[in-house]
Amino acid sequence: MKNNNHPHVRWLICLCLLCAAPRAWALTSGDYSYTDDGWDVTITGYTGAGGAVTIPSVLGPSSHPVISIGYIAFHNCTALTSVTIPSSVTSIGAYAFSGCTSLTSVTIPSSVTSLGTYAFYSCTGLTSVTIPSSVTSIGADAFYRCTSLTSVTVDAANANYSSIDGVL
């Protein structure tokens, strides 16, 4: 049997498949670096001065929603004192806020369903955390070495986690 697949046809098919595959573009906007897959945004880095930070709900000229705080996005931002996460975010990645030693408070919105492994590792200034009912997954050691953490409150409607006397 004769093979009728011309080399140019195979090359054209591969090119079409590559063009159709979703991809994320590495971009920057203000103090944030992020990836945009054409629908959603993941924050991958922060270069701001710190202090009280409110993460935007959309980024870039496309105004796609920020749905994820990615791996090590705010890692070692030692001047970060508080962070407010927008309601568009559904996940906080591994090590996302690790080493943010001045971080004393974080507002986790009810849209967040997962906290990654070591998400707040060594946030030694963090004193309390409230986990909403939407969180279904907390990675290993998410609050490891948070030596000032004295209270973890879990929303009573959370079917997966609870806190007793401030302990998760």
Side-chain angles (χ1 to χ4, degrees):
M1 178 173 230
K2 185 178 176 187
N3 183 350
N4 290 327
N5 284 339
H6 194 274
H8 294 297
V9 172
R10 287 190 300 254
W11 180 84
L12 184 59
I13 290 170
C14 288
L15 181 62
C16 289
L17 289 173
L18 285 174
C19 290
R23 62 192 123 173
W25 301 100
L27 305 163
T28 59
S29 178
D31 295 332
Y32 300 94
S33 55
Y34 64 98
T35 58
D36 185 337
D37 67 5
W39 295 276
D40 301 310
V41 166
T42 295
I43 292 178
T44 57
Y46 174 75
T47 58
V53 171
T54 299
I55 297 171
S57 59
V58 296
L59 274 175
S62 64
S63 294
H64 290 143
V66 174
I67 63 153
S68 180
I69 310 300
Y71 171 74
I72 68 169
F74 288 81
H75 174 68
N76 282 342
C77 291
T78 57
L80 186 67
T81 57
S82 69
V83 62
T84 302
I85 299 166
S87 61
S88 57
V89 170
T90 59
S91 68
I92 298 173
Y95 295 92
F97 294 96
S98 64
C100 295
T101 55
S102 298
L103 183 64
T104 59
S105 69
V106 59
T107 301
I108 300 173
S110 60
S111 57
V112 171
T113 59
S114 67
L115 300 176
T117 301
Y118 294 108
F120 295 94
Y121 170 75
S122 203
C123 290
T124 55
L126 194 59
T127 58
S128 66
V129 174
T130 300
I131 306 214
S133 62
S134 57
V135 172
T136 58
S137 171
I138 299 176
D141 298 320
F143 300 101
Y144 186 59
R145 292 205 174 157
C146 293
T147 54
S148 298
L149 187 59
T150 58
S151 175
V152 176
T153 304
V154 178
D155 186 298
N158 190 309
N160 299 288
Y161 298 97
S162 63
S163 59
I164 299 171
D165 296 329
V167 178
L168 181 62

